[in-house]
Amino acid sequence: MQKVYAEKGETFIVIIDEYDVLIREQVGDDEFKPYLGFFNSLFKNAELKPAITLAYLTEILPIMKDMVQSKLNTFDEYNMLRIGSFAEYTGFTTGEAKSLCERYGRDFELCKSWYDGYELEDFEIYNPQAVIKACVTGKFISYWSKTSSYKVVAEKIRMNLAGTKEDVITMMGGERVDVNVKKYDNTMTGFDSKDDVFTYLIHLGYLAYDEKEGQCYIPNREIYNEWEKVVESDENYAETDKIIKASKQLLRDTIAKNEETVASSLDNWHGDVLFVGVNYDVESKKHECKIEKFVKSL
């Protein structure tokens, strides 16, 4: 790059996609240190600086505070907590998602319940890949697991830091919990509290963040499915998983008008069942349900 600039006088635009991949995979120092050296040679090189007009890096996690920041402290950073003017470009906006649903003849309200929920600045943001797949195939299902794994959540939840379980149960019940996002420094080793865990999951998209209220929550049905996998596979949440399954069965029995079964279930699970709200659309003949909250002993 220095040679081209010296001989031709032409400058470069540097684009690096997912620069943080080695950080997320937590590779060893034998790989990581040369990688840091590479960034140092690009962005801390006084001789090379005039040859670079613009550098644009994409990432999932914020810039690491203990290592990478010294190499990238000249960059303006935009992330899920501070997205600024890039909010409407982070995913599909409501208008874009609605337009696609109309074009393909899909149920927009169903699309909204599955893929909406991220509040960035003044925009509601939808998962773009999921919206496209749902519109093309007509199937409103979880497409998240095709690109990510529930293990990302499971690893952090199993740390079982104080207050984590209670807050997870609250969010699984459709409510929001307070979170302090200012403590998280993305060191990848310093998860000292549930706030660090939840902030990490906000950046990965497994939780959404309400900046005005300082709260996090599970944004939609697609992501809720990923959390269900975690609860189902973690022994710490065995009782929670049992209640979720019992509540779903109660909903099915209610819709099927199995009166005796419903009465028996309410007796058995009194005080521990999830409240489930059910709406019936006469024209479409569809039931829509919303899990409201856990109660009593949980």
Side-chain angles (χ1 to χ4, degrees):
M1 292 173 72
Q2 287 175 312
K3 186 175 180 180
V4 169
Y5 177 67
E7 294 186 7
K8 303 292 185 180
E10 296 180 359
T11 60
F12 289 82
I13 293 176
V14 179
I15 301 176
I16 301 176
D17 188 26
E18 293 197 31
Y19 95 88
D20 63 339
V21 63
L22 297 187
I23 302 169
R24 284 183 277 121
E25 294 180 358
Q26 299 184 39
V27 300
D29 284 346
D30 58 331
E31 286 186 78
F32 195 62
K33 287 183 178 179
Y35 190 56
L36 290 180
F38 166 68
F39 281 110
N40 193 58
S41 68
L42 275 178
F43 306 121
K44 289 292 184 178
N45 186 331
E47 295 181 6
L48 184 59
K49 186 176 180 180
I52 299 178
T53 298
L54 172 71
Y56 180 83
L57 279 61
T58 71
E59 57 180 331
I60 295 176
L61 297 172
I63 294 173
M64 286 185 71
K65 297 298 187 289
D66 59 345
M67 294 181 183
V68 181
Q69 190 181 37
S70 61
K71 312 299 184 290
L72 301 177
N73 60 3
T74 58
F75 283 74
D76 293 324
E77 183 178 359
Y78 301 88
N79 57 48
M80 293 297 283
L81 301 179
R82 291 171 292 277
I83 198 65
S85 58
F86 285 91
E88 64 180 302
Y89 309 111
T90 306
F92 284 162
T93 61
T94 298
E96 290 168 333
K98 190 171 185 179
S99 176
L100 281 169
C101 286
E102 291 174 352
R103 183 189 306 178
Y104 286 88
R106 308 305 182 196
D107 186 335
F108 172 66
E109 290 303 320
L110 196 55
C111 177
K112 183 179 178 68
S113 69
W114 270 96
Y115 311 119
D116 185 18
Y118 298 98
E119 301 171 4
L120 300 179
E121 300 296 332
D122 295 324
F123 295 92
E124 290 184 27
I125 298 298
Y126 293 64
N127 178 346
Q129 174 176 270
V131 171
I132 290 173
K133 287 184 177 294
C135 284
V136 171
T137 65
K139 295 180 184 282
F140 288 92
I141 59 176
S142 177
Y143 295 101
W144 188 269
S145 58
K146 302 295 187 297
T147 58
S148 304
S149 170
Y150 81 95
K151 291 181 180 178
V152 175
V153 179
E155 287 175 359
K156 296 297 177 280
I157 296 305
R158 284 172 185 151
M159 295 175 71
N160 205 26
L161 296 167
T164 299
K165 181 179 178 180
E166 292 78 8
D167 281 356
V168 167
I169 291 173
T170 297
M171 289 189 287
M172 291 288 287
E175 297 184 11
R176 303 185 178 199
V177 299
D178 295 333
V179 59
N180 182 356
V181 298
K182 296 178 181 179
K183 295 169 56 181
Y184 178 67
D185 286 333
N186 187 22
T187 63
M188 297 310 296
T189 57
F191 288 93
D192 299 322
S193 68
K194 66 176 183 180
D195 290 321
D196 292 339
V197 170
F198 291 160
T199 305
Y200 173 75
L201 295 176
I202 288 170
H203 285 295
L204 295 180
Y206 287 100
L207 290 174
Y209 180 60
D210 182 341
E211 183 179 9
K212 294 179 181 178
E213 299 297 330
Q215 295 179 320
C216 62
Y217 57 96
I218 299 173
N220 53 48
R221 289 174 64 179
E222 182 179 43
I223 303 303
Y224 184 88
N225 286 350
E226 298 302 307
W227 281 89
E228 266 195 325
K229 293 177 188 177
V230 175
V231 169
E232 189 175 30
S233 63
D234 193 327
E235 61 182 15
N236 291 320
Y237 292 86
E239 189 65 21
T240 305
D241 180 51
K242 187 177 179 181
I243 292 172
I244 289 175
K245 289 178 178 176
S247 298
K248 286 185 174 182
Q249 185 58 50
L250 174 60
L251 175 61
R252 287 191 288 267
D253 288 333
T254 302
I255 293 173
K257 299 180 181 179
N258 298 329
E259 300 166 2
E260 293 184 4
T261 304
V262 169
S264 176
S265 296
L266 289 174
D267 285 338
N268 293 335
W269 288 91
H270 181 67
D272 287 337
V273 72
L274 283 170
F275 285 123
V276 182
V278 182
N279 295 320
Y280 182 69
D281 189 310
V282 177
E283 293 184 4
S284 64
K285 297 182 179 180
K286 290 181 180 178
H287 289 90
E288 291 186 355
C289 64
K290 178 183 179 183
I291 298 176
E292 295 291 347
K293 62 180 178 179
F294 287 94
V295 291
K296 203 171 179 179
S297 65
L298 289 181

